[in-house]
């Protein structure tokens, strides 16, 4: 009996909307790669000077194009989980600028921002999608951060960096910081580099890691159970981030570790974190090349000529 059109088309429909599957080793590889590269990128931002214009600081929050390329080229979930951890490990802990439980706030906010941006990209070869991802990353991250900062001031658990005679200046300053971060980190160091590098890297870097490039026909949904489920999860994670920020202020910076190694030993101490990240990155590359080479040899042996039976 011939299959009905609906039955015959259903496997294609399922394949079209099913995300790519990765084995545990590939998930760990994407996680570690994203962690080390964003950690290195944050160390680089430490040497970029900031310009003070009144109460506003003009500086680079982070090199947004690095994690944006990770979530665009690879599976956004594991890349988004690894990137903010790299900042905590290599740029905060090793540099002596760890904010204790308050780090959870930044981690969850950056994770949500990168995951949403990565899911918006369907074809890493399209520059406008990469530009959108760069802008969305900074918008979501800084919007959540500004909301938490304003809430802490209004709740009375933190002091406001306000202008004398202007009680509402905390909202104004947060808005200005948001616009500055969007222009500098989101566009100048986010969308523009991602647009330039993404199409060149897509389809070339993934095979080196033993991964298949992202297929534009296979979109990655925000959540398997639908957008509503993800929005609920995003609200919960944002609430947890806010609680962590409030707890950090109420408990007088619980778990903070700030020996200020850079101020004590100078900018050369940045090489400690950079060296640690490079060692992890080189170890990952060597391991991946060994695994890929072993799999190719095993596949060649399995498909090699077989001796005829006697």
């Amino acid at each position: 009996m011939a299959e009905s059109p609906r039955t015959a088309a259903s496997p294609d429909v399922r394949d079209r909307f099913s995300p790519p599957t990765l084995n545990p080793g590939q998930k760990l590889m994407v996680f570690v790669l994203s962690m080390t590269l964003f950690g290195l990128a944050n160390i680089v931002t430490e040497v970029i000077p900031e310009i003070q214009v009144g109460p506003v600081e003009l500086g680079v929050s982070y090199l947004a194009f690095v994690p944006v390329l990770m979530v665009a080229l690879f599976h956004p979930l594991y890349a988004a989980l690894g990137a903010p951890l790299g900042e905590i490990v290599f740029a905060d802990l090793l540099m002596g600028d760890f904010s204790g439980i308050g780090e959870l706030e930044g981690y969850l906010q950056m994770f949500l921002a990168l995951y949403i941006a990565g899911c918006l990209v369907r074809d890493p070869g399209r520059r406008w999608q990469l530009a959108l991802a760069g802008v969305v990353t900074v918008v979501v991250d800084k919007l959540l951060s500004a909301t938490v900062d304003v809430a802490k001031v209004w709740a009375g658990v933190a002091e406001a960096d306000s202008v004398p005679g202007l009680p509402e200046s905390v909202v104004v300053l947060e808005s200005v910081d948001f616009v500055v971060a969007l222009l500098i980190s989101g566009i100048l160091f986010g969308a523009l580099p991602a647009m330039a590098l993404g199409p060149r890297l897509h389809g070339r870097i993934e095979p080196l890691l033993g991964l298949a490039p992202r297929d534009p026909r296979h979109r990655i949904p925000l959540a398997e159970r639908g957008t509503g489920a993800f929005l609920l999860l995003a609200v919960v994670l944002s609430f947890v981030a806010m609680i962590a920020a409030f707890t950090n202020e109420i408990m007088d910076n619980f778990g903070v570790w700030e020996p200020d190694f850079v101020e004590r030993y100078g900018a050369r101490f940045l090489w400690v974190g950079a060296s640690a990240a490079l060692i992890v990155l080189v170890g990952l590359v060597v391991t991946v090349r060994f695994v890929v080479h072993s799999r190719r040899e095993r596949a060649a042996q399995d498909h090699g000529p077989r001796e005829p039976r006697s």
Side-chain angles (χ1 to χ4, degrees):
M1 178 183 289
E3 295 181 349
S4 64
R6 178 177 299 181
T7 305
S10 58
D12 295 334
V13 173
R14 287 196 301 268
D15 292 342
R16 182 179 179 183
F17 295 102
S18 60
T21 57
L22 302 178
N23 60 47
Q26 292 172 330
K27 295 175 183 177
L28 179 61
M29 179 176 57
V30 172
F31 177 89
V32 175
L33 180 64
S34 180
M35 180 182 70
T36 53
L37 289 180
F38 194 45
L40 280 171
N42 276 273
I43 293 175
V44 172
T45 59
E46 296 290 335
V47 301
I48 300 177
E50 295 182 349
I51 302 175
Q52 188 77 26
V53 181
V56 180
E57 292 184 354
L58 301 179
V60 183
S61 301
Y62 42 75
L63 303 180
F65 74 93
V66 176
V68 166
L69 288 176
M70 290 296 100
V71 296
L73 295 173
F74 305 108
H75 198 294
L77 176 60
Y78 309 106
L81 285 172
L85 185 61
E87 178 184 3
I88 294 175
V89 173
F90 298 109
D92 294 339
L93 273 173
L94 292 181
M95 296 298 101
D97 189 22
F98 184 69
S99 302
I101 194 174
E103 294 287 352
L104 181 61
E105 174 198 356
Y107 179 90
L108 293 177
Q109 290 169 355
M110 180 57 75
F111 162 72
L112 286 174
L114 289 174
Y115 182 67
I116 293 173
C119 290
L120 290 177
V121 177
R122 297 187 62 175
D123 184 2
R126 294 186 177 271
R127 289 183 169 85
W128 71 268
Q129 294 186 13
L130 295 170
L132 177 64
V135 171
V136 167
T137 296
V138 176
V139 167
V140 174
D141 178 42
K142 294 303 180 182
L143 185 61
L144 292 175
S145 178
T147 302
V148 172
D149 290 341
V150 172
K152 288 192 296 185
V153 172
W154 285 355
V157 299
E159 297 182 359
D161 296 331
S162 58
V163 178
L166 186 59
E168 298 83 4
S169 60
V170 60
V171 178
V172 176
L173 293 178
E174 289 292 341
S175 301
V176 173
D177 289 340
F178 174 82
V179 173
V180 170
L182 178 60
L183 294 176
I184 297 178
S185 298
I187 297 178
L188 186 59
F189 290 95
L192 295 179
M195 291 170 62
L197 296 174
R200 291 182 172 88
L201 296 176
H202 178 51
R204 295 180 175 87
I205 189 173
E206 300 93 341
L208 298 177
L209 301 176
L211 299 172
R214 285 182 63 174
D215 189 346
R217 297 171 300 177
H218 295 73
R219 69 177 180 88
I220 298 180
L222 287 171
E224 294 295 335
R225 296 181 180 273
T227 305
F230 174 78
L231 291 177
L232 178 60
L233 177 62
V235 170
V236 172
L237 293 181
S238 301
F239 182 74
V240 172
M242 183 176 294
I243 293 299
F246 274 59
T247 303
N248 191 49
E249 294 290 344
I250 294 173
M251 300 185 66
D252 194 18
N253 297 325
F254 175 76
V256 171
W257 186 67
E258 295 180 342
D260 294 328
F261 291 135
V262 177
E263 293 184 4
R264 292 170 58 183
Y265 302 109
R268 65 180 182 274
F269 192 81
L270 294 173
W271 284 104
V272 174
S275 300
L278 286 173
I279 291 173
V280 175
L281 184 60
V282 171
L284 175 66
V285 171
V286 172
T287 303
V288 169
R289 290 181 65 88
F290 174 77
V291 171
V292 172
H293 181 69
S294 300
R295 288 179 178 175
R296 288 176 178 174
E297 286 188 343
R298 192 180 304 115
Q301 292 176 357
D302 293 341
H303 292 84
R306 298 182 179 179
E307 296 181 359
R309 295 180 180 180
S310 57

